[in-house]
Amino acid sequence: MANVVVIGSQWGDEGKGKIVDWLSERANVVVRFQGGNNAGHTLVISGVTYKLHLLPSGVVRPDKLSIIGNGVVIDPWALLDEMETVRGQGVEVSPSNLRIAENAVLILPLHKELDLAREKALGKGKIGTTGRGIGPAYEDKVARRAIRVGDLADPEVLSRRIEGLLLHHNALRRGLGEPEIDALDLKAKLDDVAPNILPFAGVVWQELDAARRNGKRILFEGAQGTMLDVDHGTYPFVTSSNTVAAQAAVGSGQGPGVVDYVLGIAKAYTTRVGGGPFPTELEDDIGRLLGERGIEFGTTTGRPRRCGWFDGVLVRQAVKVNGINGIALTKLDVLDGMEELKVCTGYRIDGEALDHLPASTVRQAKVEPVFEVMEGWSESTRGARTWADLPATAVKYIRRIEEIIDAPIALLSTSPEREDVILVQDPFAD
């Protein structure tokens, strides 16, 4: 049975939540494998809007197993709040349908405080983080001083972990002029939350291996987007984890052979949140129109997203870096009624042609997009479910995008509603 990885092909916010939810009908297990509650997926199902941050999108479907893998950093308080929110919307969340990797790292209040203090100190040069403590939690993980989910089960181990963690953080806080963290107070908070988290903890790599051997279909759900990857993104304006498809295996405890199909998600235009380069950004009425029509506000932060024309160079780069087999193109309907559209087909730096986004921040700042102008369409594409429902010029736009990015469009999403999808190539096909 085919296993599918879904990843963002731009700077996140591409509409992964809806696509993962749509695909999860064909899957048995849905896995989050990186990031934390800095991510946000919005699902609209029968008029009900679900906003998920840590919970895998499959949780809204009955009879699906949702897994939070070891590559995720988990704010336990935020996770419990999210569980209660979706339960209030009629969604069951219990250890029978949600499992959390025992070796996943916890985000603590001190991580969020450090995140905000650093952003404040950077001033105009700030990264634009969500302030959720993601980066500091990953730093502690790499430095081998983090507290993990399984540590909550052993009071003695937890006390030792806290002692080692605060040896670093309290020295750092003194340097920043912040009050030190009291070890007993932190332990009391963790002891309080532990009984609500531990029932969900388990050896998820083993559970996933068993599911795969039993012929279950696994859907790996990425957060953020390729251009926010800590290695392959617009560094330093990136997240603190690997967001690319290869991380699906590492972040869930599986071998690379587990992946059969990589589905990239891309908007029919481009957006990003926070600072950093954005070659096709539109700081004019068209950019504002895209933002208004697309309701471009961050699911997690509520910040307005920067908007611009479709950047074929970036998405083509994402196709190569991830080994993408097909693209799910979303929000085509936002372009309805526009007389003229532009697509970025290349870059120039000081007159030199370039077919990729360079890693150098200096060169990134000099990038000038090369646009191809295309005819728009006046008809509505919203809610279209077959190619016959699309205007000829919309089909032409889609076909040209396929040529530029060197990948086929596998799915086309024409509204936020779950069923408004045109399926061209089924990622789960054997």
Side-chain angles (χ1 to χ4, degrees):
M1 305 293 278
N3 298 323
V4 177
V5 178
V6 175
I7 50 91
S9 305
Q10 296 160 314
W11 279 291
D13 308 309
E14 300 97 349
K16 292 183 293 297
K18 172 194 166 171
I19 300 300
V20 169
D21 170 61
W22 189 84
L23 287 170
S24 66
E25 185 176 18
R26 296 160 171 77
N28 305 107
V29 185
V30 183
V31 186
R32 266 288 304 274
F33 58 83
Q34 51 78 217
N37 60 318
N38 55 339
H41 290 170
T42 301
L43 312 180
V44 180
I45 302 167
S46 301
V48 180
T49 300
Y50 302 89
K51 295 192 174 183
L52 307 179
H53 302 277
L54 275 166
L55 292 173
S57 296
V59 78
V60 300
R61 284 189 181 272
D63 304 321
K64 307 294 179 184
L65 176 62
S66 291
I67 286 181
I68 300 176
N70 56 275
V72 179
V73 286
I74 301 169
D75 181 329
W77 297 276
L79 178 58
L80 292 173
D81 285 346
E82 190 174 326
M83 287 183 190
E84 286 308 304
T85 297
V86 298
R87 283 175 181 145
Q89 295 180 288
V91 176
E92 178 196 353
V93 185
S94 72
S96 65
N97 71 334
L98 175 68
R99 306 295 289 156
I100 303 173
E102 62 179 359
N103 52 338
V105 164
L106 295 178
I107 300 173
L108 307 176
L110 58 85
H111 292 130
K112 292 186 283 187
E113 292 168 8
L114 179 58
D115 210 353
L116 293 170
R118 283 176 172 169
E119 283 286 87
K120 182 179 178 180
L122 287 170
K124 291 183 178 180
K126 66 182 180 180
I127 302 298
T129 75
T130 60
R132 299 297 198 272
I134 311 299
Y138 274 118
E139 288 175 38
D140 284 343
K141 175 180 180 176
V142 173
R144 297 164 294 182
R145 56 175 172 258
I147 294 172
R148 306 198 296 181
V149 171
D151 296 333
L152 298 176
D154 190 321
E156 186 176 335
V157 169
L158 183 59
S159 292
R160 290 202 304 269
R161 293 287 190 198
I162 290 172
E163 182 181 346
L165 183 71
L166 294 187
L167 182 66
H168 169 80
H169 276 273
N170 279 338
L172 193 59
R173 291 173 71 91
R174 287 193 295 270
L176 290 168
E178 298 289 332
E180 294 187 19
I181 300 293
D182 181 74
L184 293 178
D185 180 62
L186 178 57
K187 186 171 187 300
K189 289 177 179 176
L190 290 170
D191 285 340
D192 182 59
V193 81
N196 297 313
I197 294 293
L198 286 173
F200 296 89
V203 188
V204 302
W205 65 264
Q206 207 168 52
E207 294 181 44
L208 282 170
D209 181 66
R212 184 173 58 82
R213 291 178 182 277
N214 288 326
K216 304 294 186 182
R217 285 177 168 175
I218 304 171
L219 181 60
F220 296 90
E221 173 185 17
Q224 290 101 23
T226 299
M227 291 302 151
L228 292 175
D229 184 277
V230 69
D231 288 310
H232 302 286
T234 48
Y235 191 90
F237 298 96
V238 294
T239 193
S240 298
S241 62
N242 288 112
T243 62
V244 293
Q247 179 63 20
V250 178
S252 61
Q254 302 298 290
V258 74
V259 177
D260 298 300
Y261 190 102
V262 179
L263 180 69
I265 316 296
K267 279 178 182 167
Y269 52 101
T270 310
T271 64
R272 83 169 297 175
V273 173
F278 188 167
T280 65
E281 184 172 12
L282 293 167
E283 299 181 90
D284 57 12
D285 289 343
I286 296 176
R288 285 186 286 275
L289 179 65
L290 290 173
E292 290 168 6
R293 285 186 177 179
I295 316 175
E296 296 296 352
F297 297 92
T299 302
T300 299
T301 64
R303 291 181 293 182
R305 297 175 185 139
R306 300 154 63 189
C307 298
W309 294 120
F310 184 85
D311 191 332
V313 180
L314 279 187
V315 177
R316 183 173 63 236
Q317 191 163 325
V319 166
K320 306 305 180 185
V321 169
N322 290 286
I324 287 173
N325 300 101
I327 288 284
L329 192 67
T330 66
K331 291 200 169 184
L332 182 71
D333 57 301
V334 173
L335 303 181
D336 291 352
M338 300 183 74
E339 293 183 9
E340 184 179 275
L341 303 172
K342 292 183 180 180
V343 177
C344 177
T345 60
Y347 295 150
R348 289 193 182 279
I349 298 179
D350 297 328
E352 174 194 356
L354 205 63
D355 63 357
H356 68 282
L357 187 67
S360 163
T361 54
V362 174
R363 284 172 62 78
Q364 285 176 1
K366 292 181 178 181
V367 163
E368 296 178 8
V370 176
F371 286 116
E372 180 176 312
V373 179
M374 298 190 67
E375 181 185 356
W377 54 89
S378 57
E379 305 94 324
S380 173
T381 63
R382 189 175 180 86
R385 295 187 183 179
T386 68
W387 283 108
D389 296 331
L390 297 175
T393 45
V395 174
K396 185 177 179 181
Y397 181 77
I398 294 165
R399 294 307 186 202
R400 181 62 181 130
I401 283 177
E402 289 181 316
E403 292 173 353
I404 295 166
I405 67 174
D406 197 23
I409 301 301
L411 293 92
L412 186 66
S413 172
T414 56
S415 92
E417 289 292 339
R418 175 189 274 175
E419 300 305 325
D420 289 341
V421 171
I422 299 173
L423 177 63
V424 183
Q425 181 184 84
D426 187 351
F428 277 123
D430 295 334

